[in-house]
Amino acid sequence: MRILLVSQMYPGPSDPDLGVFVQGLEQALERRGHELARAVLNRRAGGKLRYLELARETRRVARAFRPDVVYAHFLVPTGLIATQAAGAAPLVVTAHGRDVRNIGTVPGVAAATGRVVRRASAVVCVSDYLRSELELRLPAARGKTAVIDSGVDLERFAGADAAEARRMLGWEGEGPFLVCVGSLSTRKNVVALAEAFARLGRGRLAFVGDGPLRVQLEGRPGVRVVGRVAHDEVPRWLAAADVVCQPSLIEPFGQVLLEALASERPVVATKIGGPPEFVPPEAGVLVDPSDPDELARALERALALPEPGPAARAAAAAHDVNLQAARVEELLLAAHRGRPA
């Protein structure tokens, strides 16, 4: 098939960590023999005006490429842009989280999302939790949804020697090493994690990411704020960890957790959202993110789990990006052939 990929998040020179999950699926679809063209935003800067740029680029690429099917990531604005540019080509769109939360909370988003859903042949949600949220907020989506996460590259994220990874990162030292990868935002619950780490009373905690709460994390004993790193560097940080932490207030899926499991590392994950769907008790501890005492206890329990952990790797293997791409392919083919997915 000739597939036009449209996304408001995609890795670029200034933001190599942006939307890597979209790129991973794209590459897996190409390995399956499909021809892809893309219209994407590959930077964070630019404000809302960059969506006008994306709309122009999508129309241009659609006219030149003449796709068999359009595959969009995020309901609004990307899905709306794809709807306007797709012409007669069928549309499949993936919801990732914020685009669903915006329905009913941001003026106009519900109507725009409804238009996208009506136009789409299928709507993919990255977790069953997110599908339930979408269908609750937008009943028109019922009967069109499928659950397919973005998958994990099992070759890139694999068990590696923790001591060697720490040496290469310059993080050799005593005590357990905890890693949190993601934006330093309220939703990611990073300040609560730092406070739970202080109660642990030993080891080191690295925040790999950036965001508005950075100033509240810097300078704490045993805590280092690394900032954003290229996606190619993330496997080394995960390999270096004794435990990977993501106690978000809500997590529609939890891509980093999946990558940590593939890296054979135990995790501490939020109970709210997608993580309970793929984090097994043999490889992770699910936590109420609003309870600081429970979070501190979860760190101790996770440190007692085996590392490297075959149970973690087995859980991740069920989400191999190549398996997920095959499932996406079925939806795209069904849309192209004009039959129900």
Side-chain angles (χ1 to χ4, degrees):
M1 286 181 294
R2 295 166 62 83
I3 303 168
L4 171 57
L5 176 73
V6 187
S7 180
Q8 65 201 55
M9 295 178 65
Y10 194 88
S14 60
D15 292 296
D17 63 326
L18 184 65
V20 290
F21 48 87
V22 176
Q23 185 183 55
L25 274 174
E26 174 196 32
Q27 293 170 342
L29 287 168
E30 287 178 326
R31 289 194 294 271
R32 297 185 68 81
H34 302 291
E35 182 182 358
L36 280 90
R38 75 175 76 102
V40 298
L41 288 176
N42 63 1
R43 66 185 189 281
R44 292 181 173 89
K48 293 182 179 179
L49 287 176
R50 61 199 174 117
Y51 297 123
L52 295 177
E53 174 187 328
L54 178 60
R56 289 193 295 268
E57 179 67 2
T58 303
R59 288 193 296 269
R60 184 192 69 79
V61 176
R63 286 194 298 267
F65 185 60
R66 300 176 64 83
D68 296 316
V69 62
V70 177
Y71 179 32
H73 285 265
F74 299 91
L75 294 167
V76 173
T78 304
L80 188 61
I81 289 170
T83 296
Q84 295 166 341
L91 171 68
V92 173
V93 59
T94 291
H96 287 277
R98 184 178 297 276
D99 45 353
V100 173
R101 295 196 303 274
N102 286 343
I103 298 171
T105 60
V106 178
V109 168
T113 306
R115 180 179 174 186
V116 173
V117 167
R118 288 190 296 272
R119 173 65 171 81
S121 299
V123 178
V124 178
C125 297
V126 295
S127 65
D128 193 57
Y129 164 83
L130 192 62
R131 173 167 64 178
S132 297
E133 284 291 302
L134 174 61
E135 293 181 350
L136 178 65
R137 294 170 185 246
L138 196 71
R142 295 171 186 164
K144 281 193 170 184
T145 55
V147 177
I148 306 173
D149 62 69
S150 299
V152 61
D153 186 334
L154 295 174
E155 293 183 6
R156 173 175 290 181
F157 295 94
D161 183 78
E164 176 63 13
R166 292 174 197 169
R167 186 189 67 78
M168 297 183 70
L169 292 169
W171 264 69
E172 297 170 289
E174 297 297 324
F177 183 34
L178 311 182
V179 173
C180 176
V181 180
S183 64
L184 307 184
S185 62
T186 299
R187 183 175 72 83
K188 292 295 186 179
N189 209 25
V190 290
V191 173
L193 174 59
E195 292 171 351
F197 167 73
R199 297 186 189 190
L200 185 67
R202 66 187 192 279
R204 292 157 297 156
L205 169 61
F207 286 99
V208 182
D210 210 343
L213 298 184
R214 179 171 186 149
V215 68
Q216 297 187 41
L217 302 172
E218 292 178 322
R220 293 173 180 255
V223 173
R224 175 182 170 189
V225 179
V226 178
R228 293 191 183 102
V229 303
H231 194 57
D232 287 344
E233 297 178 38
V234 172
R236 185 172 297 160
W237 282 100
L238 298 182
D242 289 304
V243 173
V244 175
C245 309
Q246 195 173 60
S248 307
L249 296 179
I250 185 171
E251 196 61 59
F253 178 63
Q255 186 69 28
V256 169
L257 296 171
L258 185 59
E259 293 166 351
L261 294 176
S263 304
E264 302 187 27
R265 298 305 186 259
V267 302
V268 169
T270 181
K271 291 179 178 178
I272 312 300
E277 298 174 29
F278 65 90
V279 175
E282 302 83 5
V285 180
L286 296 173
V287 63
D288 177 352
S290 66
D291 186 335
D293 292 329
E294 182 179 340
L295 180 51
R297 291 191 296 269
L299 297 180
E300 288 281 11
R301 290 170 55 199
L303 285 168
L305 292 171
E307 178 273 308
R313 180 72 176 181
H319 300 264
D320 182 346
V321 67
N322 295 298
L323 297 177
Q324 304 303 75
R327 298 179 64 202
V328 170
E329 178 187 63
E330 290 181 8
L331 293 180
L332 297 174
L333 281 169
H336 175 45
R337 293 167 179 166
R339 55 182 169 81

